[in-house]
Structures are given as structure tokens and as C-alpha cells.
Amino acid sequence: MAILHPCVGSVYREVPCSVPPTNCLLWGSSLPGAVPDMRMTVADALNSALDEEMSADPKVFLIGEEVGENQGAYKISKGLLEKYGPERVIDTPVTEAGFTGMGVGAAYYGLRPVVEFMTFNFSMQAIDHIINSAAKSNYTSGGQMSAPIVFRGPNGASAGLGAEHNQCYAAWYAACPGLKVLSPYSSEDARGLLKAAIRDPDPVVFLENEFLYGESFPVSAEVLDSSFCLPIGKAKIEREGKDVTITAFSKMVGYALQAADILSKEGINAEVINLRSIRPLDRATINASVRKTNRLVTVEEGFPQHGVGAEICASVIEDSFHYLVAPVERISAADVPMPYAINLERMALPQVTFYQIYLIKYEEKHVN
Amino acid sequence: MSAFSATKLRSPSLASPRSPSSKPSFPSSSLRFPLRAVSSDVLTSSAASLAASHPVISRDEGLDLYEDMVLGRSFEDMCAQMYYRGKMFGFVHLYNGQEAVSTGFIRLLEKKDSVISTYRDHVHALSKGVPARQVMAELFGKTGGCCRGQGGSMHMFSAEHGVLGGFAFIGEGIPIATGAAFSSRYRREVLKEQTHDDVTIAFFGDGTCNNGQFFECLNMAALWKLPIIFVVENNLWAIGMSHLRATSDPEIWKKGPAFGIPGVHVDGMDVLKVREVAKEAIARARSGEGPTLVECETYRFRGHSLADPDELRKPDEKAHYAARDPITAFKKYIFEHNLATESELKAIDKKIDDVVEEAVEFADKSPLPPRTQLLENVFADPKGFGIGPDGTYRCEDPGFTQGTAQV
């Protein structure tokens, strides 16, 4: 599937994106500390993480639609059926509620299922099992039944698929105690967080992004090591800055970085935080950053009301109120189900150019 | 008025066991899979429908079954008393009248086998071996309970005894049971940890048989030949919704062959008939032949829950089933076959009364959970798992499970 450069065909032509694609962070360039020649796509990162975890622990198995013979709807489980056999890479019938509950039941007995949803929109048919059977069971049973299960799949907007394929579920799952919710951006995030999720003894919702699958990022030798893991609950500061804090996760991190790049030419030095973990939220890092920059803008692809940004804003206002010199601001999708027409679809989602204008106006409004 | 006309099905000869590797093919309506059904005639005083002249069980087995059913009945009666005294609260769903199903199936299981139930789960937990005092304390919401007071009536879990709940949503337990059966097969085939499958039994009601998850799991269990038994406790009512009003084809056992599994209908008020069917279904599951669907015709003597006024069920229907009380019938059987004397059974009754009284005392004395328990066990590993190459790096977020609650 062709991945459109987000700035191409922008509605707002008065501020065109001047970053050449080869230098665009969304398309990948050398990051400090990276080994220049080693790059990996997010899809390969996820595939290698699954492969390594399945080979290290025979209790890990993959279950979902199309994961076996079709190599995965997005080819994330490519090659795993040949390597591990049909007992460990299980093609299911179209029964989300059934196979998700089945995964949870297997997890109660200490197996470590990785349940793939073709898209997280389909997880709504199985949400009873994610929330009630998996997330709440350790608490309700007084510590007897924990479910070391991972629910993974692409989340958020796709292209041209209409309202039922485009919702971001980060806010919904992150509201539930007993779940851990992760959302990687780069290949390093994808590898490290998926390995941590599979090893974690609690249920983890792992929100990937369809557009990031084909993106390649530089990776260091440490990332490629089979014991590489990232901590759950720690955000990463992708870009240091001092004027405004931008928090984002998944695809929006790339957009935020790009916007930050553009803003730096206007003299605004933005700090971009890649949340990585939506639950638990790394409130410490976010607050420390806001105490430094005194301004906060949150970015997400989900609906605005009761979103991830709302929680971050509340957290910052509770903990760092006196450090803020301007009101907190949220950038999110439009408060509508996703339309199909291509121009409306573009308008319903955050765009880099929107950020740019928005952030410049924000500065005008709130900075003396 | 009996909800079904008593169906008498012939017992065809048992099919030879198929090898586990053969692929299941769809049966035609003439039976590729053996359908054994036991007639659901009303127990008459002549006891003609009960076993032949020689008993099918030994004396010890008989006493074990009797004791288990009496435990279930006394315990539930005590629950009702405690509820009306305010010691138990919320929703309490009692099992009076259905004891034959729980006893008939669960007393044949081993400790490692699993039982998954619904909110009507007290007696399943007791039959599986969870001590009565732990179940009572759980109902009172005290730390001595099997879930430390966290679950309550509808969420009985015991990892030690293989009781996996206890679920409030109907149909929720069926995929979980399918997963437990799956894990049993996985441990045998992939992990090579054992040579036979542990059996899983999923108990659920007639209302659940119209739920999507039921059909999804019948399909997957048949597809992968999982060691599971689906037991329908058809007590004809889902709160106030009669099974006949809710279901296009009320004969639930027929839904099994549609997926390639044997479907059996049995008189759930007769513990010996249930036990016979259970033996066969468990043997099938353990030997790798796959799932079975068993529909037990049974009845709950009380309302759906203690809060249910139970106005819709007709008195003559209730009287019909009260005459088929499984404990009374089994007592009769015991006397007729000289398995025990009246005084021996009375001694068991007394013993169970003492057990239940002691359970109440234990629950009364057990303390309420400490305030710190509010925030415990949200996660098995609260700090999250993340280690660096040196093996020491973990996420140190002290605010993780504490939120803003003040304790």
C-alpha cells in the first residue's frame, strides 16, 4: 500500500511543507546514536520480536485471523507458520469474541497467547473478554488468575476505509484498570515494547499503526539483540526543546517531529515526547518536561472528548499548574465518525500543516 | 405441565473411537456420531425409570454423591437465610433443585480438571472441592473467602481446585472454558508435559444457548477437538424469559451435531443418569475424541436470584419438578438398593449441617479486608516488565497503582 507523504496535497497551501522527503523524519533519517546502515521497518521489527519470543518460550503462541497461512493480514507474522507449525500459529474462524476469550482462558493456565486483531476496530466484538475476563480477573480473583496475554493489531486511522475502520482505541483501553496499553512509534519501540509485552504477566493491549508498518527506522545493535526490552510505563523524549512540550504516540510522533522541525525555523524550539506507554502513563516525564517549557500541546489521532490528551492535560494541571504560562491545548481528530471522501478524511485528522499554523498561532496567543 | 414432551430416543450402538488425527467431517442428519439420549420420563414411585435391579454405583460412591448433593442444598438454604439477615448482599443466585447436575458431573473429575460456571456458581465450587467455609466467607465479603472478598457471589475462583469462575455475563465463561481446554491440549501436544488431556466442563443455562459466543465455541471446540464438555443446565427460564419464548428450536442438544459434536439430552433431576452420561463424555474428552454437548433438563426451585419475585412461573410447573427433587429420589434409590440405612443418611445430614454452621461461623469471624487491599492485585506485576541487557532495569513508577485514592 502506498504511504502518502502527509504534507502532499495539503489543503492549506499558504504554508507548504519545505522539508525534502529524504530529510523528513517521518521517512527516516539518521538519528543520533544510530548505526547509519542498519535500518528496519516496523513490520520487520514486530516480526522479529514475535519470532524471538516464540523461540525463547514455547508457551507463547499466536492466534488470530489470517496469521498462519496468509502470513498475517499485514504480513506481520510472515514466516512464523513455517517455523513454528500450526499448533503455535493458529488461524481462527471469524469469531473475535470466541477466540479472544479462548486466549484468555489459555492465559489463566499460564500459556502466553498473542491475540491478533485484524484491526482494533474488530476488538469491539471481543471487548468483554479484554476488559472483564482479562483485565479484571487478577483483582476479582484475589490474585489467583492473572492473564499474561497480549492483544495486538493496527489501531487508528487508515486510508479511505470509512468510519468503521478508523477509530483509535487508546483512550478506551487506557481507562481500564488492570490493562497495560502500549503504542510504539519506531522500530526500536516496536521491538522493545512487544518483547516486554509478551514477557509481562499482565494483559497488554498493543496498539500498532498500519502506516508505520512500512516505515523504516535506524536501529542500533543493542536493539537487534534478542534480549532487548523497553520498560513499560516510560516515555521517550524524541526531541529536546525548551519552548513547548508536545506529547504524541504512534503515528502522531512522526507528525509532531516534523512540525517541530518546521517550527524551529520560526524560532520555536519544541520538545517532543513519544509516550510509548498510554497506561501506565509516564506522568513524571511529562510533568518534568512541562515544568521546563511551561506550555503543553497534546496530539492524538483519536476522538477529542475523554481522549488521551484529556488525561494528560488533567495530569499536568493537577501536578504542574503553577508552571503553566498558557492554557493546555489538545490536538485530535475531528469530533466526527471518519468520512470517506478524501478531502474530508484529510480534514478529520491532524495534519502537520495544521500543527504548524496552530502552534504558531498558539505562540502568538500565549507568548508575550 | 412439562415443558418438553418426554422424548425417548433409541440408544444406538456406540461408534468406535476415532483416531485423534482424523479430520471431523460434517455429519448428515442420519447419525454419523452416536447420539445417546436417556429418556426424561418423570420419576414415578415405581422407580421403573431408575436403574435395573442391581445398582450402578457402589456404596461409597452413593454416599459421596448423597453427601455432595446435601451439601449443595444446605449451603444454598443457608445463603438464603444469611441474605435475608443482611450478611450477604448484591446478587445471589441459588442452585436449589439443580444439584444432580453439579454432583453428577463434577464428582467424576480429578483435581486438575477445570470447571467454568456462571453466576450460579456456589455449588459448582463446592462440588469441585472448594471448602464451604471459603465460599461462605467470600459471599460475606471477608478476607477468608476464596477470592479474599474481591469477587463475591458471582466470581468464585480457585486456582488450587480448578474453578475458573464465576462470570457475571452469560456466555462469558464458554470461551474461557474453550481456552482452558485448548491449554490442556497445548500442554500435551506442544509442551509435551503430560500424556492425557485434562478435561474442562463449562456449565451454563438455556438462555446462553442463544448467545453468539456459544456457537463460536462449539465450532472451535469441534474444529480442534478440544477436551471440553458443554453442559447446558436447562432450567427452562432465563430470569423471566421462558426458554420456549426465546428459542426457535428449544431442543438444545440438537445444536451439537450441527457442529459435528454429539448432542445428548438427559434428565437432570436424576443424578445417576447424569453420571452415566458424564462418564462417557469425560472419557471422550480425555482420550482426545473431542467435545460433547450435554443438555440437562433441570429446574431451579427458587427464583433467578434472591431479589427475583418469581411471579411468572406457574405453580403446577413448580410442583411437577418439586416432585422430582433429586435428593429425595436418590435417597429412595439408596434405600431400595440397600446401599445405606436411614440412620447413616441422617448422620450425613447432621454432618453437613455442622459443616455449613461452621462455615457461617468462620465467615462471621473472618475480618473485612484491610484498606490496603483496595489497591492490591490490579496487576500481577505492577512495575511492568522491562529489562535492559544488564537485567536490572525496571520501570520505577511509584504512582502506578496508587492513582489518587487515599488509603
Side-chain angles (χ1 to χ4, degrees), chain B residues 3-4 22 91 127 169 197 200 233 271 283 286 315 349 356 367 379 390:
Chain B
F4 299 97
S22 65
F91 284 149
S127 292
F169 285 32
D197 284 335
T200 304
E233 293 168 327
V271 67
R286 243 191 253 296
D349 290 344
V356 174
F379 286 124
D390 58 1

Side-chain angles (χ1 to χ4, degrees), chain A residues 185-259:
Chain A
Y185 162 60
S186 63
S187 302
E188 176 184 330
D189 291 354
R191 258 182 75 78
L193 292 176
L194 185 57
K195 283 156 101 49
I198 293 173
R199 296 182 199 180
D200 197 281
D202 289 304
V204 180
V205 169
F206 194 82
L207 304 170
E208 302 159 3
N209 186 286
E210 178 189 333
F211 290 117
L212 290 177
Y213 285 151
E215 290 300 300
S216 93
F217 293 86
V219 287
S220 66
E222 189 199 351
V223 172
L224 295 174
D225 185 85
S226 68
S227 62
F228 174 68
C229 250
L230 285 175
I232 293 180
K234 269 249 165 300
K236 180 182 177 195
I237 299 187
E238 294 279 352
R239 182 189 203 283
E240 298 247 353
K242 57 174 182 48
D243 292 326
V244 59
T245 298
I246 307 177
T247 64
F249 60 95
S250 190
K251 188 171 81 177
M252 292 290 122
V253 175
Y255 282 38
L257 287 171
Q258 205 169 5

Side-chain angles (χ1 to χ4, degrees), chain A residues 58 61 88 90 95 98 101-102 105 109 129 132-133 138-140 144-145 178-180 196 200-202 229 231-232 280, chain B residues 114 146-147 150-151 157-159 164 169 172 175 179 182-183 186 213 216 220 374 376-377 379-381 385 387 395 400:
Chain A
F61 66 94
R88 294 186 67 195
I90 298 155
T95 51
M102 203 174 101
Y109 273 101
H129 286 292
N132 280 329
S133 313
N138 197 49
Y139 189 80
T140 305
Q144 293 181 81
M145 310 283 168
L179 274 183
K180 294 178 183 166
D200 197 281
D202 289 304
C229 250
I232 293 180
Chain B
S114 331
C146 51
C147 298
Q150 302 278 106
F157 286 89
S158 169
L164 264 65
F169 285 32
E172 188 180 345
F182 176 88
S183 79
Y186 191 91
Q213 290 177 91
E216 293 184 13
M220 288 194 288
L374 178 67
E376 279 175 22
N377 287 318
F379 286 124
D381 178 12
F385 190 96
I387 51 168
C395 164
F400 193 105

Side-chain angles (χ1 to χ4, degrees), chain B residues 112-349:
Chain B
K112 288 187 308 146
D113 295 325
S114 331
V115 165
I116 284 93
S117 178
T118 57
Y119 42 74
R120 205 180 296 282
D121 56 351
H122 311 164
V123 178
H124 295 135
L126 291 171
S127 292
K128 192 66 172 55
V130 182
R133 44 168 39 196
Q134 283 185 19
V135 181
M136 192 62 85
E138 183 61 33
L139 292 168
F140 282 28
K142 304 288 190 73
T143 35
C146 51
C147 298
R148 302 164 74 203
Q150 302 278 106
S153 166
M154 298 187 281
H155 303 285
M156 293 289 164
F157 286 89
S158 169
E160 185 195 339
H161 296 281
V163 177
L164 264 65
F167 291 100
F169 285 32
I170 65 162
E172 188 180 345
I174 304 177
I176 303 287
T178 312
F182 176 88
S183 79
S184 165
R185 172 143 285 219
Y186 191 91
R187 271 182 278 127
R188 180 172 59 79
E189 282 182 355
V190 178
L191 301 178
K192 314 253 192 276
E193 278 175 13
Q194 50 196 52
T195 52
H196 69 271
D197 284 335
D198 295 327
V199 171
T200 304
I201 304 189
F203 291 95
F204 48 95
D206 43 286
T208 311
C209 295
N210 296 323
N211 186 278
Q213 290 177 91
F214 170 59
F215 299 109
E216 293 184 13
C217 292
L218 282 180
N219 179 45
M220 288 194 288
L223 196 58
W224 297 319
K225 306 195 71 183
L226 301 180
I228 184 172
I229 308 172
F230 297 99
V231 178
V232 184
E233 293 168 327
N234 184 353
N235 57 22
L236 307 173
W237 290 89
I239 308 186
M241 187 60 165
S242 146
H243 178 57
L244 298 178
R245 282 181 69 210
T247 317
S248 54
D249 183 351
E251 292 185 286
I252 302 171
W253 59 269
K254 277 194 200 163
K255 303 187 190 198
F259 291 90
I261 9 184
V264 184
H265 176 259
V266 68
D267 175 6
M269 303 306 267
D270 181 339
V271 67
L272 293 174
K273 287 184 184 165
V274 172
R275 194 178 147 90
E276 285 305 302
V277 171
K279 269 196 210 160
E280 193 180 331
I282 292 172
R284 263 179 64 84
R286 243 191 253 296
S287 64
E289 287 169 48
T292 316
L293 173 65
V294 182
E295 178 186 356
C296 302
E297 181 195 348
T298 182
Y299 202 74
R300 51 170 165 81
F301 293 158
R302 290 181 182 264
H304 166 73
S305 73
L306 287 173
D308 176 21
D310 194 18
E311 287 158 349
L312 289 174
R313 303 193 300 173
K314 302 234 171 357
D316 46 351
E317 182 186 86
K318 294 190 200 178
H320 169 86
Y321 283 99
R324 292 166 62 180
D325 186 325
I327 296 180
T328 322
F330 191 55
K331 235 175 156 166
K332 218 152 169 283
Y333 180 88
I334 289 180
F335 293 147
E336 275 168 8
H337 291 87
N338 297 316
L339 291 174
T341 62
E342 178 106 26
S343 58
E344 281 171 325
L345 294 190
K346 279 214 160 43
I348 292 180
D349 290 344

Side-chain angles (χ1 to χ4, degrees), chain A residues 105-342:
Chain A
Y108 283 178
Y109 273 101
L111 297 186
R112 307 189 88 96
V114 177
V115 176
E116 175 170 314
F117 292 116
M118 201 182 282
T119 133
F120 258 94
N121 298 276
F122 301 164
S123 74
M124 288 201 287
Q125 297 207 332
I127 201 167
D128 171 29
H129 286 292
I130 300 176
I131 306 283
N132 280 329
S133 313
K136 295 182 184 173
S137 61
N138 197 49
Y139 189 80
T140 305
S141 68
Q144 293 181 81
M145 310 283 168
S146 73
I149 187 169
V150 175
F151 305 101
R152 50 160 292 270
N155 176 54
S158 39
L161 296 183
E164 291 179 17
H165 279 78
N166 283 292
Q167 191 168 331
C168 173
Y169 290 86
W172 284 25
Y173 288 122
C176 181
L179 274 183
K180 294 178 183 166
V181 179
L182 303 177
S183 193
Y185 162 60
S186 63
S187 302
E188 176 184 330
D189 291 354
R191 258 182 75 78
L193 292 176
L194 185 57
K195 283 156 101 49
I198 293 173
R199 296 182 199 180
D200 197 281
D202 289 304
V204 180
V205 169
F206 194 82
L207 304 170
E208 302 159 3
N209 186 286
E210 178 189 333
F211 290 117
L212 290 177
Y213 285 151
E215 290 300 300
S216 93
F217 293 86
V219 287
S220 66
E222 189 199 351
V223 172
L224 295 174
D225 185 85
S226 68
S227 62
F228 174 68
C229 250
L230 285 175
I232 293 180
K234 269 249 165 300
K236 180 182 177 195
I237 299 187
E238 294 279 352
R239 182 189 203 283
E240 298 247 353
K242 57 174 182 48
D243 292 326
V244 59
T245 298
I246 307 177
T247 64
F249 60 95
S250 190
K251 188 171 81 177
M252 292 290 122
V253 175
Y255 282 38
L257 287 171
Q258 205 169 5
D261 228 36
I262 296 166
L263 287 171
S264 66
K265 296 187 174 50
E266 311 274 342
I268 299 167
N269 197 351
E271 177 149 297
V272 175
I273 300 181
N274 172 6
L275 291 174
R276 283 180 169 174
S277 174
I278 317 294
R279 185 175 183 109
L281 202 51
D282 191 352
R283 299 169 205 273
T285 301
I286 298 169
N287 277 286
S289 171
V290 172
R291 288 176 188 210
K292 186 174 71 170
T293 64
N294 309 120
R295 293 176 192 88
L296 173 71
V297 174
T298 68
V299 180
E300 63 194 295
E301 220 178 15
F303 297 134
Q305 188 167 340
H306 307 299
V308 176
E311 175 65 26
I312 296 175
C313 291
S315 173
V316 163
I317 288 170
E318 283 167 7
D319 292 338
S320 311
F321 181 68
H322 297 288
Y323 292 82
L324 288 168
V325 301
V328 295
E329 291 283 358
R330 301 176 281 171
I331 297 178
S332 67
D335 200 11
V336 297
M338 185 66 65
Y340 171 67
I342 205 168

